[in-house]
């Protein structure tokens, strides 16, 4: 059997444009582009397919959002349902800046859905061949702007969303109820991570950070230890902070679940979902708790610190809980808060 690897970039012109572009077609530049909006493209994709456009928005990684609240829009597994954001298909990993930025993007409109449809047509004609989409579209159905020219419009920091701005019903993170399956075990694991960092217990930390590093029924992995070790060294430098969090009262702790997961566990009772256990680093975090998952990034400026927990299946071993303090630099800026009384 022959195996054909049909790369997304190879099929893009045929899949994304209603007609093949002629050699004399004008280059897609800011001069030739049509100014439009993300919402307009998403509302009528066929009308914009293959067109050279100019849109503005907030770039977070390679995703372009209409505004900050667009980050709260639910995304299904393949991103086909989005209406207020699209993908910046640069063909390169990441973007040349780390922080969210207001940008102008110029490029041609395309869709991973089109590429999968084109592959489906090829597969139908050659049923004995294995044909697949490569690149980003291999696991996505998103609408995108291909190979965009990107211009930063402002270098001013963009503040994260706060509880005052987002009503409870619209928040991406909601408080988890204690009766959720796995709640108690995950909170215990989160507390153990805090305790391990407060006491300098590297072994306990690594066993939670990457459960396969432990000896109980698991096989230690070099790559797991290589990743967990430096993370322990970096985080344990703030041992006094973790000691304070360990001794903090229950009123300075919240346990969150992503709304999409909450909908899933309500539909499937007994399902175990990932949780976030967050501690307030100041006297009070009233109005300061995160409302979006990406803001649980544990950068130093945050008013809170969060431990992400989830089930972890070990080959030929028992189900374990993974508990990690994820530090992701380059997020939205923390508001300047008035000092708690």
């Amino acid at each position: 059997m022959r195996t054909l690897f049909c790369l997304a970039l190879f099929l893009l012109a045929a899949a994304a444009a209603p007609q093949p572009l002629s050699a004399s077609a004008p280059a897609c530049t800011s001069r030739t582009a049509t100014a439009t909006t993300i919402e307009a493209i998403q509302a009528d994709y066929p009308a914009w397919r293959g067109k050279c456009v100019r849109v503005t928005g907030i770039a977070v990684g390679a995703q372009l959002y209409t505004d900050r609240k667009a980050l709260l829009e639910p995304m299904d597994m393949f991103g086909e349902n989005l209406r207020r954001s699209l993908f910046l298909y640069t063909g390169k990993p990441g973007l040349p800046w780390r922080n969210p930025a207001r940008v102008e993007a110029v490029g041609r409109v395309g869709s991973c859905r089109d590429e999968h449809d084109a592959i489906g047509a090829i597969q139908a004609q050659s049923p004995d061949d294995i044909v697949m989409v490569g690149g980003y579209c291999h696991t996505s159905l998103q609408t995108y702007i291909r190979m965009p020219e990107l211009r930063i419009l402002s270098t001013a920091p963009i503040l994260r969303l706060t509880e005052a701005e987002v009503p409870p019903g619209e928040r991406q993170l909601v408080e988890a109820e204690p009766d959720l399956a796995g709640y108690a075990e995950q909170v215990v694991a989160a507390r153990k991570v805090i305790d391990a960092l407060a006491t300098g217990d590297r072994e306990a930390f690594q066993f939670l950070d990457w459960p396969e590093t432990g000896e109980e029924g698991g096989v230690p992995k070099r790559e797991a230890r290589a990743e967990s070790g430096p993370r322990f060294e970096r985080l344990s430098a703030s041992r006094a902070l973790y000691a304070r969090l360990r001794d903090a009262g229950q009123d300075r702790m919240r346990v969150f679940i992503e709304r999409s997961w909450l909908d899933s566990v309500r539909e499937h009772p007994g399902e175990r979902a990932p949780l976030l256990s967050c501690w307030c680093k100041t006297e009070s975090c009233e109005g300061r708790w995160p409302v979006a998952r990406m803001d649980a990034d544990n950068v130093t400026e945050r008013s809170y610190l969060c431990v992400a927990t989830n089930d972890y299946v070990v080959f030929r071993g028992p189900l374990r809980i993974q508990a990690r303090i994820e530090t992701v630099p380059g997020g939205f800026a923390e508001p300047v808060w008035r000092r708690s009384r």
Side-chain angles (χ1 to χ4, degrees):
M1 178 181 291
R2 291 177 298 146
T3 301
L4 301 178
F5 291 93
C6 296
L7 297 177
L9 295 179
F10 173 76
L11 291 173
L12 192 57
Q19 300 177 4
L21 295 174
S22 68
S24 60
C28 183
T29 67
S30 57
R31 286 187 178 183
T32 61
T34 299
T36 186
T37 64
I38 294 171
E39 293 100 324
I41 293 172
Q42 295 285 32
D44 190 7
Y45 168 72
W48 293 98
R49 181 190 289 119
K51 289 190 175 180
C52 176
V53 300
R54 182 172 68 251
V55 297
T56 60
I58 297 175
V60 182
Q63 195 76 13
L64 186 67
Y65 297 89
T66 57
D67 53 38
R68 292 185 305 147
K69 286 195 174 181
L71 279 86
L72 303 177
E73 182 182 24
M75 178 188 290
D76 62 23
M77 182 180 296
F78 300 107
E80 193 178 24
N81 64 322
L82 296 175
R83 295 295 175 265
R84 304 192 66 219
S85 71
L86 47 72
F87 188 71
L88 297 173
Y89 205 150
T90 63
K92 302 176 182 179
L95 289 173
W97 56 84
R98 294 172 60 184
N99 299 326
R102 300 185 188 280
V103 306
E104 177 185 75
V106 175
R108 294 195 182 275
V109 177
S111 168
C112 291
R113 162 62 74 182
D114 282 351
E115 296 186 28
H116 282 275
D117 289 346
I119 288 293
I122 295 173
Q123 184 74 76
Q125 294 176 2
S126 305
D128 293 331
D129 296 330
I130 298 176
V131 192
M132 66 182 68
V133 175
Y136 176 78
C137 287
H138 181 64
T139 56
S140 176
L141 296 174
Q142 277 207 67
T143 300
Y144 56 75
I145 294 181
R146 183 192 180 195
M147 300 301 181
E149 294 180 11
L150 297 170
R151 181 167 67 93
I152 296 181
L153 301 177
S154 172
T155 58
I158 303 176
L159 299 180
R160 71 173 176 91
L161 290 166
T162 64
E163 293 175 284
E165 297 174 86
V166 185
E170 298 177 15
R171 295 173 189 171
Q172 200 175 68
L173 294 178
V174 297
E175 289 208 46
E177 296 295 332
D179 60 353
L180 290 176
Y183 179 99
E185 299 98 311
Q186 291 195 50
V187 171
V188 167
R191 290 186 179 279
K192 285 183 177 179
V193 167
I194 297 296
D195 187 66
L197 289 167
T199 60
D201 190 336
R202 177 191 291 266
E203 184 175 350
F205 173 87
Q206 290 193 163
F207 185 70
L208 290 159
D209 186 69
W210 200 321
E212 285 181 298
T213 59
E215 303 292 346
E216 296 180 23
V219 179
K221 289 190 173 183
R222 290 182 181 179
E223 61 270 28
R225 292 188 183 278
E227 181 177 319
S228 292
R231 183 155 42 239
F232 174 79
E233 294 296 336
R234 185 177 68 254
L235 292 172
S236 62
S238 302
R239 186 178 298 184
L241 167 64
Y242 297 103
R244 292 200 307 272
L245 298 183
R246 178 191 57 185
D247 299 333
Q250 186 62 37
D251 60 327
R252 288 175 56 187
M253 180 188 179
R254 295 289 185 277
V255 181
F256 296 102
I257 182 173
E258 290 187 58
R259 186 177 299 277
S260 58
W261 272 106
L262 182 60
D263 293 341
S264 180
V265 298
R266 284 174 174 170
E267 185 176 348
H268 305 96
E271 181 179 8
R272 296 165 65 98
L275 300 178
L276 276 173
S277 297
C278 301
W279 282 263
C280 184
K281 297 194 294 185
T282 61
E283 293 180 10
S284 172
C285 280
E286 182 179 358
R288 303 186 187 186
W289 296 106
V291 300
R293 178 62 180 85
M294 69 173 57
D295 292 330
D297 51 9
N298 295 317
V299 296
T300 304
E301 295 77 17
R302 300 291 183 230
S303 301
Y304 47 81
L305 182 139
C306 299
V307 179
T309 53
N310 55 267
D311 288 345
Y312 192 99
V313 179
V314 178
F315 180 65
R316 294 182 178 177
L319 179 69
R320 294 175 178 162
I321 303 295
Q322 182 176 48
R324 278 190 169 181
I325 298 177
E326 302 166 344
T327 304
V328 186
F332 286 86
E334 184 72 7
V336 177
W337 305 100
R338 292 182 181 180
R339 179 175 295 181
S340 301
R341 294 181 179 180

